[in-house]
Amino acid sequence: MEPQFSSVCCIDSGAGSGQYNMEFDMRLMRAFADGAFQQAFGEGSCLWRFYRWSPPAVSLGRNQNPAEIDRERCRAEGVDVVVRPTGGRAVFHADELTYSFFAVTPLPNEVIYQMVHETIARALSSVGVEAEFCRSQPDFRARYASPESVSCFTASARYELQVGGRKIAGSAQRRNGNVILQHGSLPLSARHRQISRYLAGASRELVEAVDADMERKTASLDEFSGAGYADLVQLLIAEAGKSAGSGAKLLTSGEIERLEGFHQSL
């Protein structure tokens, strides 16, 4: 059974730079931690945020070695480089739908992970894409020790979504007490596989290994459906609202940015 929230809020904050997108997530997490969000929108409320990246960006997991990414090439090609507040490995964000989910809840991380992906799976089903849970949990420590593990999309955690055994949505979490942030990427096209372009000092063999891994283990929406960002956002808002029983409340960026303390230094 899905966790129930007194109200479900949603915001489509549109396209932003890498720094803007990650800071927005961190500011929202702080707004849940200090109670500013609940004061404005109600106790027991949760929030789904949907967004895109402009310009494209490479995001690194918070504990990933930044030297793995060729910042000079990224700069030359107009690609942002940013560190996520969550763990995991590098993601190339170009043509995708990115989501964030925020709540104050004592429920275990795994329960939230499953709930969020169930919501995404229902939205995908509405456009003819039947995604299934990954049922196994890889040994991430062993996986991250291999050079080709630089991309987050080449390993699937339990309850992440796959189509035909290939990962179609990648997610990560961060918890501060009872405050949880989960965010993730759903590629709309195969551009996420271009991560190998931005590896620092990678040999031809490593680039080929990463490319082959991405081809074999990852999927994108355009392989199965003609739906795009706007279609999915509307479906996700509808599905997310069902957990409150009364539909989702749509918020604007202006309403979020007026939260008490939102613009204080991180």
Side-chain angles (χ1 to χ4, degrees), residues 223-237:
E223 297 178 49
F224 314 104
S225 172
Y229 176 90
D231 305 304
L232 277 185
V233 167
Q234 292 306 309
L235 291 167
L236 284 163
I237 290 172

Side-chain angles (χ1 to χ4, degrees), residues 13-231:
S13 54
S17 69
Q19 180 177 349
Y20 173 86
N21 280 333
M22 293 302 90
E23 286 187 358
F24 204 95
D25 273 356
M26 286 302 296
R27 292 178 188 280
L28 277 168
M29 190 174 187
R30 185 173 63 187
F32 274 82
D34 64 19
F37 189 91
Q38 299 90 315
Q39 183 177 355
F41 303 113
E43 293 295 328
S45 56
C46 65
L47 174 69
W48 286 77
R49 176 192 172 210
F50 307 107
Y51 57 100
R52 308 183 77 164
W53 305 70
S54 181
V58 173
S59 73
L60 296 161
R62 62 184 299 197
N63 298 315
Q64 188 173 1
N65 183 357
E68 293 179 350
I69 297 301
D70 186 340
R71 289 178 178 266
E72 288 302 317
R73 181 162 195 173
C74 288
R75 187 178 298 111
E77 297 189 5
V79 173
D80 283 352
V81 179
V82 68
V83 177
R84 296 191 306 274
T86 52
R89 307 291 279 167
V91 178
F92 179 51
H93 306 275
D95 186 18
E96 69 173 52
L97 183 153
T98 313
Y99 79 87
S100 300
F101 175 82
F102 305 84
V104 178
T105 175
L107 291 170
N109 290 9
E110 187 175 81
V111 172
I112 299 299
Y113 209 67
Q114 181 175 355
M115 181 275 293
V116 167
H117 287 129
E118 284 175 345
T119 302
I120 296 172
R122 291 196 302 268
L124 288 172
S125 181
S126 298
V127 295
V129 182
E130 299 305 322
E132 299 178 336
F133 286 144
C134 175
R135 296 296 179 182
S136 61
Q137 181 76 2
D139 182 343
F140 281 109
R141 178 170 295 184
R143 170 67 185 168
Y144 289 169
S146 64
E148 63 269 21
S149 72
V150 65
S151 170
C152 204
F153 262 87
T154 54
S156 294
R158 185 180 294 119
Y159 298 125
E160 283 193 313
L161 294 175
Q162 300 178 328
V163 178
R166 293 184 295 144
K167 186 172 180 175
I168 197 168
S171 301
Q173 293 178 326
R174 180 167 177 173
R175 181 179 281 272
N176 178 11
N178 279 342
V179 180
I180 192 163
L181 155 65
Q182 179 173 324
H183 58 189
S185 305
L186 196 160
L188 303 177
S189 76
R191 289 187 67 191
H192 68 289
R193 294 177 182 160
Q194 295 174 4
I195 184 66
S196 65
R197 291 178 56 84
Y198 305 108
L199 302 184
S203 65
R204 179 177 177 180
E205 290 75 17
L206 176 57
V207 168
E208 290 176 350
V210 171
D211 287 345
D213 231 18
M214 294 289 283
E215 182 75 25
R216 185 173 66 255
K217 296 180 179 179
T218 75
S220 54
L221 185 66
D222 64 351
E223 297 178 49
F224 314 104
S225 172
Y229 176 90
D231 305 304

